[in-house]
Amino acid sequence: MFKDLRRAVLGRLLAAASVLALAPLALAQTPAPTPQPQQTPQTQTEAARAGTTREAAGERTAATTAPAAAEAVKPAAPLYGEYRGVKLGMTAAEVRAKLGEPEEKSDAMDFYVFSETERARVYYTDGKASAVIATYIGRDARAPAPAAVLGEAVEAKADGTMYKMTPYPHAGYWVAYSRTAGDEPMTIITMQKSR
């Protein structure tokens, strides 16, 4: 009976954590770039004659700095691209072939229990994995470090909690790393499609 009660409480905690982990979706969406007005050859020539071009003022033009800016903005490749062999975009059948039979399954979500300290939820949109949430329970759960997931350390707050989300627009998804406070913290790693 105690095991059933514990399972029910953990299930509710995981469901609440999943909702919180999915919340940053709106933040991960990047706005479309604002179109810049283009100068015609005629207006460029007129500006050059008037001596008002940026180069005349000793500055580099946007055209000459664009390649350098593009290199500086080039996003890093995501470190966290799969969980136990499961990648976003896989069908439910492919996910189940990798992870085995889920504890609970539906067209919308599969719930897996791998041990007392590790669980996962795989969410589906149109029959394909659109989000994977891995939850590690307790200090001895062997959760990966933030640097292994995001490529950088995440500073913990005074109570031990931490949170960081990194969008990868070029890959079409984002990854979030969060940890709760307490003696038996939960570490939740979320990978979710952003488009």
Side-chain angles (χ1 to χ4, degrees):
M1 181 172 171
F2 178 71
K3 251 187 176 176
D4 291 338
L5 178 61
R6 182 176 178 189
R7 179 181 251 168
V9 169
L10 281 175
R12 287 193 177 129
L13 282 173
L14 288 172
S18 297
V19 170
L20 291 174
L22 292 170
L25 176 61
L27 297 174
Q29 296 174 346
T30 55
T34 307
Q36 298 294 323
Q38 295 182 343
Q39 289 187 336
T40 64
Q42 182 180 8
T43 57
Q44 289 173 347
T45 305
E46 290 170 3
R49 279 192 207 135
T52 58
T53 64
R54 288 185 181 165
E55 288 175 339
E59 297 179 15
R60 295 168 60 189
T61 64
T64 59
T65 59
E71 287 178 24
V73 177
K74 189 175 184 180
L79 285 179
Y80 194 80
E82 64 180 62
Y83 169 75
R84 290 182 170 239
V86 172
K87 297 179 180 183
L88 297 175
M90 284 183 156
T91 65
E94 291 170 325
V95 169
R96 293 170 187 155
K98 292 280 185 187
L99 300 180
E101 191 62 26
E103 183 95 1
E104 299 173 23
K105 71 179 177 179
S106 72
D107 291 340
M109 187 267 302
D110 286 345
F111 176 61
Y112 291 90
V113 178
F114 299 109
S115 68
E116 288 291 316
T117 60
E118 185 180 354
R119 295 152 202 267
R121 291 181 186 273
V122 180
Y123 290 88
Y124 301 102
T125 303
D126 298 326
K128 295 191 176 182
S130 57
V132 178
I133 302 173
T135 304
Y136 301 87
I137 304 162
R139 292 199 185 280
D140 299 329
R142 297 184 183 175
V149 174
L150 302 172
E152 62 181 303
V154 176
E155 189 175 334
K157 294 183 180 177
D159 63 357
T161 60
M162 55 174 67
Y163 179 79
K164 171 110 176 134
M165 185 199 65
T166 303
Y168 299 100
H170 63 288
Y173 69 96
W174 54 265
V175 177
Y177 188 99
S178 65
R179 186 178 73 193
T180 63
D183 293 334
E184 294 296 317
M186 283 197 307
T187 301
I188 302 160
I189 301 171
T190 306
M191 174 174 56
Q192 181 171 326
K193 281 187 163 271
S194 55
R195 56 180 177 205

